[in-house]
């Protein structure tokens, strides 16, 4: 992220519109910490729900996805999907905050978003090693498990999932060393070793798919996150386990712990090149 901001403005401070534009540090919506800061927090990588184009890519195909937005301090987007969701509304009130309402500022946000997405795509296209941070993902999974423990289900054994995530975290650390060694070697992205490493970095996400899909909704295959069955767009971590717990079915939850643990272990093995 720091690289994207450096390409745009020389730092992670993006001064576009004084007073009412996307100014100041960009922060993670889950942690309110500046993007790219260290150490990584357990909630640094949030769950993606539904209602957007990424649903099919992530939930069904296992393609890593990104979602970002600018949000207003003034409150929710009350005209969404209504007849009042018009050019005039966006032009006059679309970027209002607590202090002022600067006309046309919303379109500046849109332009800033396009710039960010464009530079991000360019950085991916010519990176020697693709910027996938599996250590951050493993830390996030520890946080997801904590959410399962919050159910306080006495008959649920989460140790298989704990072990799988620990294995994945160790694989991420080993792969991080591989990335450092490749960058230090000065080899380009077309080198065979770089190609193989980038495949491991980018395609590990596919290993989080359960072949049979989630119970009662087989189209959804991702075992780490999916929209909750009764939550609309909102997502749940380890959805097979979470949904079973929501339904009060401890046996089904335990079976889904096993499914998720197998997928996470499989991902760890793939990440270090053992598959």
């Amino acid at each position: 992220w720091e690289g994207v901001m450096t390409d745009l403005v020389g730092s992670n401070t993006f001064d576009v519109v004084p007073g009412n534009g996307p100014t100041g540090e960009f922060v993670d919506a889950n942690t309110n910490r500046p993007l790219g800061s260290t150490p990584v927090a357990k909630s640094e990588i949030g769950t993606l729900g539904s209602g957007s184009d990424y649903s099919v890519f992530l939930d069904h195909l296992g393609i890593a996805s990104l979602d970002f937005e600018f949000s207003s301090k003034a409150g929710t987007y009350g005209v969404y999907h209504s007849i009042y969701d018009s050019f005039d509304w966006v032009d006059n009130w679309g970027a209002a905050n607590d202090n002022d309402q600067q006309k046309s500022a919303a379109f500046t946000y849109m332009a800033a978003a396009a710039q960010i997405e464009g530079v991000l795509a360019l950085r991916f296209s010519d990176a020697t090693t693709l910027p996938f941070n599996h250590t951050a993902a493993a830390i996030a999974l520890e946080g997801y498990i904590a959410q399962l423990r919050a159910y306080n289900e006495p008959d649920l054994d989460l140790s298989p999932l704990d072990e799988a995530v620990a294995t994945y975290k160790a694989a991420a650390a080993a792969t991080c060393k591989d990335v450092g060694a490749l960058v230090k070697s000065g080899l380009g992205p077309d080198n065979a070793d770089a190609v193989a490493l980038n495949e491991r970095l980018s395609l590990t996400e596919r290993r989080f798919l359960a072949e049979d899909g989630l119970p009662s909704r087989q189209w959804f295959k991702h075992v780490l996150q999916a929209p909750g069955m009764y939550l609309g767009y909102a997502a749940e971590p380890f959805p097979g386990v979470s949904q079973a717990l929501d339904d009060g079915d401890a046996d089904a939850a335990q079976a889904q712990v096993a499914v998720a643990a197998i997928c996470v272990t499989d991902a760890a093995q793939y990440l270090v090149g053992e598959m």
Side-chain angles (χ1 to χ4, degrees):
W1 178 260
E2 290 174 344
V4 173
M5 289 293 97
T6 298
D7 287 347
L8 285 172
V9 293
S11 72
N12 69 341
T13 300
F14 197 4
D15 291 315
V16 178
V17 179
N20 196 34
T23 60
E25 290 183 318
F26 283 77
V27 298
D28 182 271
N30 302 294
T31 64
N32 204 36
R33 288 152 34 96
L35 289 171
S37 61
T38 56
V40 176
K42 285 197 174 183
S43 57
E44 195 84 3
I45 298 180
T47 51
L48 295 180
S50 188
S52 187
D53 294 341
Y54 55 67
S55 295
V56 65
F57 294 106
L58 181 63
D59 296 327
H60 187 71
L61 299 175
I63 298 173
S65 302
L66 169 72
D67 184 30
F68 80 90
E69 65 182 28
F70 296 109
S71 58
S72 171
K73 296 178 182 178
T76 57
Y77 181 27
V79 301
Y80 183 58
H81 281 187
S82 76
I83 62 172
Y84 304 103
D85 191 358
S86 64
F87 181 95
D88 182 69
W89 187 92
V90 172
D91 190 38
N92 286 282
W93 298 286
N97 60 27
D98 292 335
N99 301 316
D100 55 50
Q101 294 183 7
Q102 184 169 331
K103 183 177 175 63
S104 301
F107 296 107
T108 303
Y109 280 101
M110 295 176 191
Q115 287 177 285
I116 292 169
E117 290 175 331
V119 171
L120 187 62
L122 289 171
R123 288 186 67 85
F124 264 83
S125 69
D126 64 0
T128 300
T129 57
L130 295 174
F132 287 93
N133 188 337
H134 287 277
T135 296
I139 291 172
L141 294 190
E142 293 174 339
Y144 296 177
I145 293 176
Q147 293 183 55
L148 296 180
R149 284 204 163 85
Y151 280 91
N152 294 317
E153 172 52 60
D155 297 325
L156 185 65
D157 178 15
L158 291 172
S159 60
L161 208 46
D162 287 325
E163 294 171 6
V165 170
T167 301
Y168 174 50
K169 192 174 184 179
T175 304
C176 186
K177 293 180 180 179
D178 292 342
V179 169
L182 184 67
V183 172
K184 188 176 180 179
S185 73
L187 297 174
D190 295 330
N191 175 270
D193 289 340
V195 171
L197 178 57
N198 282 327
E199 285 185 353
R200 286 159 46 199
L201 289 168
S202 61
L203 300 183
T204 292
E205 192 77 28
R206 311 287 203 281
R207 302 290 169 164
F208 296 127
L209 301 181
E211 184 177 354
D212 295 332
L214 299 179
S216 302
R217 44 178 177 157
Q218 287 73 28
W219 186 88
F220 291 90
K221 296 180 179 293
H222 208 293
V223 301
L224 304 186
Q225 56 185 351
M229 289 186 70
Y230 313 119
L231 297 179
Y233 291 166
E236 285 187 318
F238 292 114
V241 183
S242 295
Q243 189 59 55
L245 292 172
D246 290 339
D247 294 339
D249 191 337
D251 290 339
Q254 192 65 61
Q256 286 300 302
V257 166
V259 171
I262 289 171
C263 289
V264 174
T265 301
D266 184 48
Q269 292 173 343
Y270 181 84
L271 183 59
V272 293
E274 294 181 358
M275 299 184 68

